[in-house]
Structures are given as structure tokens and as C-alpha cells.
Amino acid sequence: MLGLILGLGLLMFLAYRGMSIIWIAPLCALVVAIFGGLPLLDTYTRTYMEGFVGFTRSWFPVFMLGAIFGKIMEETGMAQAVAHWFVQILGKQRAILAVVAGCAILTYGGVSLFVVVFAMYPLALALFREANISRKLIPGCIALGSFTFTMTALPGTPQIQNLIPMEFFKTQATAAPIMGIGAALVLMFGGYFYMIWKERRLTAAGDVFTEGKDSVKGIDATKLPNPYLSFLPLITVAATLNLPFIKFPPILALLSGIVVAIAINPSIFKKLVPTINAGANASLIAIINTSAAVGFGMVVRAVPAFKALTDALMELGGNPLISIAVVVNALAGATGSASGGLAIALRALGAEYMAIAQATGISPEAFHRIASLSSGGLDTLPHNGAVLTLLAVTGLTHKESYLDIAVVSLVIPIFATIVAIVLASMGLV
């Protein structure tokens, strides 16, 4: 048990210090193995690497196609066109809502979270400058629109955190629509009203827009493609993944979006290969980071202390939806990865929770939605990769902006998960 605590603590500390999880994950896994009495070389070459390779084998196509789709949307200007359309419709008087809505539509349309950050930041910066709102709020707004309700709550989202549970609970991306919509409302309104409250507080204190050190390239709206046509690839991904008479698997849904995006913008053919290369290369970092976290989790799973912990959770009694929420949150927080923590938890306990669902009559869809929601809770601790990227892109520090990120993507999601569990206990799945 001491080894588990030390290994998890060391992983979080080193990641927070900016060290790559690619090499610190196996290092911390060896700490767990030493205290757990496991053979070190065998643990690394077999247990750790089997977890690493297993996740890559299962999810690399989705990561790669999602990154390529996002890159094509970015290079053609369609991602910026959609975001700019929202900004124009809502205006500077609703700058926070415009940024959140722009991020949300891109994320729900299948664009990678990391691409959304790069696509939205120039727009958010220009809008906040015009509205004289502090730059410190930009990361919180982008996190709210990208890392919360469109990532884990809204039924049908093509983000990986909503797709992983499908394998274990034999469900669809639209699983538990009532629970998902209920949680999404908590996430949306809770996060939005918090950001509005924070903006008024900062403005009242005289903390308004100031220029940063970054030189962000502005967006020339006259060169952007038609926003209505730009919606089509996003709609294609969501529709082909979720419509009852289509129900494509995620790989085909993303491929459909890519084909539509290219068909609408044939000029991309001039730089199609470099664009695909850039998207494919970007997906490697994302999948390897997540796989490294999963490999660490597989070592944690192999030590006797993990079984003792899971047995204790399973023997607590009460609502099993609460225990799966606790397990997924804990592992997502420890690894700093929503998809990594979710995969670890379900590989270890997915079959047991499926058996519980069959024995108790609790819908597997309820387990799907709670697992997905829980992956988007404690994952955004300070060492989370998406958080580090968001702060780096915006040129802000943890001290300046992390509290807002934590409130909208860590604290409020816990309350949203509680609401979803209550709805499930009322039979509203």
C-alpha cells in the first residue's frame, strides 16, 4: 500500500514539475513494483508494456483519425470559421458565452481537444481584448467548453472519454441520455455562472485586459470559408456515429468527417499530405502519453494492494455507481489523464461492474455514463497534460488561471456526477 501511495505521488509530482510521462510512468511503476514484491524486469517488459501496447492497439486509429480530422478543420479554416460565427452571433457583450459555445461545438463535432485550444485562443484573445475582460479567464472558458459537458456528458459525443466505456458495457455513444443531459446542464450552467461571477469580481477590482508577451496571429475573417458549410464535417461525424439508421463505429464516423471536409475544401489537396502528416504526428504524442499512463495503471493493478483496495470498494455495499465513480476519479487523477484513468479502471473492474449490472438490474448505460463523467473529474489536477498545454498556449501560469480551470472541470463535474447518480437511482437513465 505504501508503494502505491509513493508511486502515485511521485508520478503526480514529477509530471507537475514538467517531466514527460513517457519516461516517468515506467519509473514510478517500478517503485510500485518494488514495494509490491514484483520482479522488476518482468514487470516492465511484460505487465507495463502489455498495458501500454494494449491501449495503443485498441485506440490508436481513433486518436490518429481524430487528430487528422482536427488538423484538416484547422488548415482549411473551417474550425476558425465555426468559432468566429459564434463570436459574431453572440458579440462582445457575451464574450465568455461565445468562447464556451465555440469550443463546445468544435469538441462535440469531433475535433481534438488540443486542436480546439489552438483554434479558439486567437478568437478568445481578440474578443476579450474588445470586451476589456482579463486574459486570466481565457483558460477557464476554453476548459469549460472543451473539457466538460461535450467531452463526457452529452450523449453522442465522439470524444474518446465517451467511446471507451462502449467496449466494456456493450453500449452506444448515446448511452443514458437523461443522465447525460442532466449532468451536462449542471456542467454548462454551473461553469458559465461561475465564469460570469469571476469576471465581474475581477473587473470590479480593476483587473481587466492587459496584453501578454505572446504575439498571437490574428484571424482575417474575410479569408475564412463559409461557416454554414464548415459545420457540415462536424455534423457528419456526430450524425454517422449516433443516428439509429447509420450507427457507424467511431473510425468510420471520423473518416466520414474527413472525406466531407476535403470535399468541401478541394484546395486542401495542395497541402493534403503535409496536413495529414501533421495530424498523424500529433496523435502519436497523445496516444503514447495516454498509453504510458495505462501501462503504469496495469502495474498498479498487478500488486496485491490494488486487489485489497478494489475488494474494499466492492464490499462497501450501497450504490455500485458510487464506487465506479470513486475508482475512475481516483485513477484519472493519479495518472493526470481522463482516458488513461478510465481505461485502467475498466480494464481492471469493467467485467465486475457489468456482472453487477446484470445481477442488480442497473442499466449498463448508467455505468457507461457515470464512468465517462467520472473520468472528467479529478483528471484535471495540475499535472494534467491538457491543462499544461492550455496554459502554455495562453501564456498564463497555474497561479493566474488554474483555479478557474479546476472549478469548471474538476469541482463542478463531481457535482454533475452526483446528479447523474441521483437520476439513475430514480430510474431516469
Side-chain angles (χ1 to χ4, degrees):
M1 193 65 69
L2 178 61
L4 283 182
I5 296 170
L6 288 175
L8 292 172
L10 184 63
L11 180 68
M12 295 174 67
F13 173 76
L14 294 178
Y16 181 75
R17 299 290 296 178
M19 300 178 194
S20 172
I21 197 170
I22 295 173
W23 70 268
I24 65 172
L27 178 67
C28 296
L30 292 180
V31 172
V32 175
I34 289 170
F35 281 83
L38 302 179
L40 299 187
L41 184 60
D42 188 64
T43 296
Y44 176 70
T45 57
R46 292 177 61 85
T47 308
Y48 178 86
M49 288 308 301
E50 283 174 2
F52 186 107
V53 173
F55 185 85
T56 302
R57 182 181 63 245
S58 298
W59 295 105
F60 176 67
V62 174
F63 272 77
M64 182 183 68
L65 291 173
I68 290 173
F69 175 61
K71 196 64 181 176
I72 290 174
M73 289 291 293
E74 180 184 10
E75 287 295 323
T76 57
M78 288 189 290
Q80 294 88 339
V82 169
H84 188 264
W85 180 82
F86 272 103
V87 168
Q88 292 296 103
I89 292 294
L90 296 173
K92 71 174 184 178
Q93 68 275 19
R94 297 184 180 86
I96 290 175
L97 180 59
V99 173
V100 173
C103 292
I105 193 67
L106 292 175
T107 311
Y108 192 78
V111 177
S112 164
L113 306 179
F114 294 94
V115 171
V116 172
V117 171
F118 286 100
M120 282 301 303
Y121 178 53
L123 288 167
L125 191 66
L127 195 59
F128 276 44
R129 180 186 292 114
E130 187 177 353
N132 200 27
I133 296 174
S134 174
R135 292 173 62 250
K136 297 175 184 176
L137 297 177
I138 293 178
C141 292
I142 293 177
L144 174 58
S146 305
F147 303 169
T148 63
F149 57 96
T150 51
M151 186 178 86
T152 63
L154 283 180
T157 175
Q159 295 300 324
I160 191 75
Q161 293 80 5
N162 185 48
L163 303 180
I164 290 175
M166 294 167 57
E167 174 187 348
F168 299 92
F169 298 116
K170 312 305 178 188
T171 48
Q172 301 296 325
T174 52
I178 297 175
M179 294 169 60
I181 292 171
L185 292 174
V186 174
L187 292 165
M188 284 190 288
F189 288 106
Y192 178 66
F193 287 127
Y194 167 80
M195 295 305 302
I196 291 294
W197 170 81
K198 186 66 176 290
E199 183 272 323
R200 290 173 179 169
R201 184 180 176 188
L202 290 179
T203 300
D207 191 345
V208 291
F209 188 86
T210 55
E211 294 292 345
K213 297 178 182 179
D214 51 350
S215 55
V216 178
K217 182 181 177 181
I219 292 177
D220 185 353
T222 62
K223 296 182 179 180
L224 294 177
N226 184 293
Y228 302 105
L229 287 177
S230 299
F231 271 101
L232 287 180
L234 305 176
I235 294 171
T236 298
V237 174
T240 54
L241 181 66
N242 296 300
L243 288 179
F245 54 87
I246 302 178
K247 288 284 186 184
F248 280 0
I251 292 174
L252 292 182
L254 288 167
L255 277 172
S256 300
I258 291 170
V259 170
V260 171
I262 294 172
I264 293 174
N265 292 272
S267 60
I268 190 66
F269 275 110
K270 298 177 182 178
K271 51 181 178 179
L272 183 59
V273 172
T275 299
I276 292 176
N277 286 346
N281 291 336
S283 72
L284 289 176
I285 295 297
I287 189 71
I288 289 176
N289 283 342
T290 305
S291 296
V294 172
F296 172 81
M298 292 300 286
V299 175
V300 169
R301 177 184 172 184
V303 298
F306 181 77
K307 187 175 188 307
L309 281 175
T310 55
D311 287 346
L313 279 172
M314 302 300 286
E315 292 170 4
L316 284 176
N319 193 332
L321 294 176
I322 296 176
S323 70
I324 194 173
V326 172
V327 170
V328 174
N329 258 301
L331 289 171
T335 59
S337 168
S339 54
L342 180 60
I344 293 166
L346 294 186
R347 285 179 186 277
L349 297 171
E352 292 187 47
Y353 281 114
M354 188 63 174
I356 291 173
Q358 294 170 343
T360 61
I362 298 176
S363 171
E365 292 193 344
F367 281 102
H368 172 132
R369 188 55 53 205
I370 295 302
S372 180
L373 283 167
S374 301
S375 73
L378 295 182
D379 67 307
T380 44
L381 288 170
H383 63 294
N384 174 269
V387 169
L388 295 173
T389 299
L390 177 55
L391 292 175
V393 169
T394 56
L396 294 160
T397 65
H398 280 81
K399 182 178 180 180
E400 291 173 311
S401 298
Y402 177 69
L403 178 61
D404 299 330
I405 297 173
V407 170
V408 301
S409 67
L410 191 156
V411 177
I412 295 176
I414 293 175
F415 288 102
T417 303
I418 293 171
V419 168
I421 292 173
V422 170
L423 289 173
S425 66
M426 296 169 61
L428 300 173
V429 178

